[in-house]
Amino acid sequence: DTAVSQTPKYLVTQMGNDKSIKCEQNLGHDTMYWYKQDSKKFLKIMFSYNNKELIINETVPNRFSPKSPDKAHLNLHINSLELGDSAVYFCASSHLQGNYGYTFGSGTRLTVV
Amino acid sequence: AQSVTQLGSHVSVSEGALVLLRCNYSSSVPPYLFWYVQYPNQGLQLLLKYTSAATLVKGINGFEAEFKKSETSFHLTKPSAHMSDAAEYFCAVSEVDTGRRALTFGSGTRLQVQP
């Protein structure tokens, strides 16, 4: 029944490693997003995909690469992890047009040691 | 570009008291506006949203917000605070009818409820 599900919920890894976070939504939305929440709780958009097409790409290091195999999935791959990447990453989905709300996943807490 | 300002990073109220969390937005056109709540170690839950219909919007858990275009504000209120309301609250804005519907969030307000 989970509308937007992310895995894993917690991720602890060493600097320099490569890791992926997966996101899936079963709401029939056509747009998915990745947000980053830093240690001060500030939330910022990273990427957005509409029907598998990248429509928003904020100033995020090239080490971050989103991949959308279909409109129900948006994964985030991070290369060469750095200490500053430690944060909570939220996936969300919505319809691109019209007045529809956004649904967020429960977040992935990434800790780089 | 749109932006959101939340006045007060921390608000403390007594149980049963009025809750008022302030949000002002900046947008070139009337936007969609949202309030989200985040409980400790959890995701974001939608409290309510403004979509250019009624200016007074009622949400879940007894919260409501009033859109005031002249003041570019969308303050969140609840008549009587409950201990379970203690959480982080985020105001957010979204552009209307563009190809860019990502949310821009305010910096958040932590609500503490004292017994």
Side-chain angles (χ1 to χ4, degrees):
Chain A
D1 279 309
T2 304
V4 180
S5 59
Q6 296 178 230
T7 55
K9 189 172 177 64
Y10 299 97
L11 185 53
V12 181
T13 187
Q14 291 186 327
M15 277 194 303
N17 284 351
D18 302 339
K19 290 293 180 184
S20 292
I21 306 172
K22 295 186 176 181
C23 180
E24 175 182 4
Q25 55 96 3
N26 62 5
L27 297 166
H29 289 159
D30 56 12
T31 305
M32 296 184 72
Y33 312 81
W34 278 110
Y35 286 83
K36 179 180 180 180
Q37 186 175 45
D38 63 23
S39 58
K40 295 185 178 179
K41 300 287 187 180
F42 187 67
L43 282 149
K44 187 171 168 55
I45 182 70
M46 298 175 69
F47 302 103
S48 176
Y49 271 76
N50 173 249
N51 286 323
K52 302 193 298 178
E53 180 181 348
L54 182 66
I55 58 172
I56 294 175
N57 184 355
E58 293 295 311
T59 51
V60 177
N62 291 336
R63 298 181 295 103
F64 290 79
S65 53
K67 286 185 172 55
S68 182
D70 55 61
K71 71 175 188 177
H73 295 83
L74 179 61
N75 304 322
L76 184 64
H77 188 75
I78 316 170
N79 290 326
S80 304
L81 278 155
E82 300 177 357
L83 292 177
D85 297 331
S86 296
V88 181
Y89 293 85
F90 286 100
C91 179
S93 70
S94 75
H95 288 293
L96 185 64
Q97 299 296 333
N99 169 32
Y100 298 98
Y102 301 74
T103 303
F104 282 80
S106 57
T108 296
R109 182 176 295 274
L110 172 65
T111 303
V112 183
V113 297
Chain B
Q2 57 193 12
S3 65
V4 175
T5 302
Q6 289 184 241
L7 297 175
S9 59
H10 289 84
V11 170
S12 182
V13 300
S14 299
E15 191 173 20
L18 172 71
V19 175
L20 171 60
L21 305 183
R22 299 177 187 275
C23 173
N24 288 87
Y25 70 91
S26 172
S27 178
S28 56
V29 296
Y32 291 149
L33 293 158
F34 306 81
W35 275 99
Y36 281 87
V37 60
Q38 185 178 29
Y39 298 102
N41 298 315
Q42 294 189 27
L44 291 114
Q45 181 182 7
L46 179 67
L47 275 177
L48 49 81
K49 60 183 178 182
Y50 168 74
T51 62
S52 74
T55 56
L56 183 61
V57 181
K58 294 188 184 300
I60 62 172
N61 301 339
F63 284 94
E64 61 182 35
E66 185 173 8
F67 173 71
K68 292 187 177 180
K69 184 178 178 181
S70 60
E71 298 177 8
T72 60
S73 68
F74 191 58
H75 301 331
L76 182 71
T77 60
K78 181 173 180 178
S80 177
H82 192 271
M83 296 295 290
S84 61
D85 294 327
E88 192 88 23
Y89 290 80
F90 293 94
C91 183
V93 62
S94 168
E95 292 182 12
V96 177
D97 294 332
T98 70
R100 177 187 171 88
R101 277 209 67 206
L103 290 169
T104 299
F105 284 91
S107 54
T109 298
R110 175 162 294 180
L111 176 65
Q112 290 182 312
V113 182
Q114 308 292 341

